[in-house]
Amino acid sequence: MSTIFDLRISVQPEHIDVLGHVNNVMYVQWMQDVAAAHIETLGLGLAQYLELKHAMVAVEHYVQYRKAALEGEEVILRTWLDDINALYSFRQYAFYREKDQSVLFLGKTKWACIEIATGRPKRMSPSFIQAYQPISTDLNPLDFSVLYEQV
């Protein structure tokens, strides 16, 4: 069973757009960053992808911007896996400001398993299926009073 994973970041000047808040494309980058950090802790990161000759790639994103993040603020990037089948895993995200627990961003990604050499869809190997299990239904990923910080 997978876990909820938190990554703490500090908003840097390069994250800010001309309107003075975090640029919307940064949130998509952060989705990638926190997903990559999470899979490393699950024991199935880039090195394992290359060894197994298949990988997960994003095929669909859903994003919802809720509130602006500003330079210097501490933000928690939270992610968890919520579903899986033979070809796809489904990951969710909630990015929030720690000081007031305000939700800044919600997102979802549908990830497909592919063969690295060809880019073609491939059924997930048992190691992928074992690592990418959804979180327990007992956990509430939107309960920000609990930190699952790993990095």
Side-chain angles (χ1 to χ4, degrees):
M1 186 105 13
S2 179
T3 60
I4 296 170
F5 181 84
D6 288 345
L7 180 66
R8 180 188 307 269
I9 63 158
S10 179
V11 177
Q12 301 300 307
E14 60 269 21
H15 301 148
I16 304 301
D17 65 16
V18 296
L19 299 177
H21 55 74
V22 171
N23 188 289
N24 62 341
V25 299
M26 280 310 309
Y27 289 96
V28 177
Q29 178 64 56
W30 290 343
M31 290 168 76
Q32 175 69 35
D33 295 347
V34 72
H38 187 207
I39 65 168
E40 288 291 336
T41 68
L42 295 175
L44 202 58
L46 180 59
Q48 291 76 22
Y49 281 1
L50 296 174
E51 182 180 311
L52 294 166
K53 298 180 174 42
H54 58 286
M56 301 299 288
V57 295
V59 294
E60 192 175 293
H61 288 300
Y62 165 81
V63 298
Q64 182 183 46
Y65 303 101
R66 305 281 295 272
K67 290 186 178 181
L70 306 173
E71 185 177 341
E73 290 183 330
E74 295 289 317
V75 176
I76 303 295
L77 310 180
R78 175 166 287 179
T79 190
W80 64 96
L81 294 155
D82 72 333
D83 199 5
I84 188 172
N85 62 43
L87 293 175
Y88 301 106
S89 71
F90 301 85
R91 176 178 291 281
Q92 293 198 43
Y93 311 84
F95 300 167
Y96 66 98
R97 190 171 35 239
E98 187 175 24
K99 70 179 176 187
D100 62 1
Q101 298 188 351
S102 289
V103 175
L104 307 174
F105 172 90
L106 296 171
K108 297 177 186 178
T109 302
K110 179 180 179 180
W111 295 87
C113 187
I114 62 154
E115 209 173 303
I116 294 173
T118 65
R120 292 185 181 158
K122 177 180 178 17
R123 286 188 164 282
M124 282 189 234
S125 68
S127 34
F128 275 51
I129 290 169
Q130 183 179 1
Y132 293 143
Q133 287 299 303
I135 62 167
S136 167
T137 55
D138 297 341
L139 295 175
N140 175 6
L142 300 180
D143 177 359
F144 302 130
S145 67
V146 179
L147 280 177
Y148 296 91
E149 205 156 350
Q150 304 291 319
V151 177

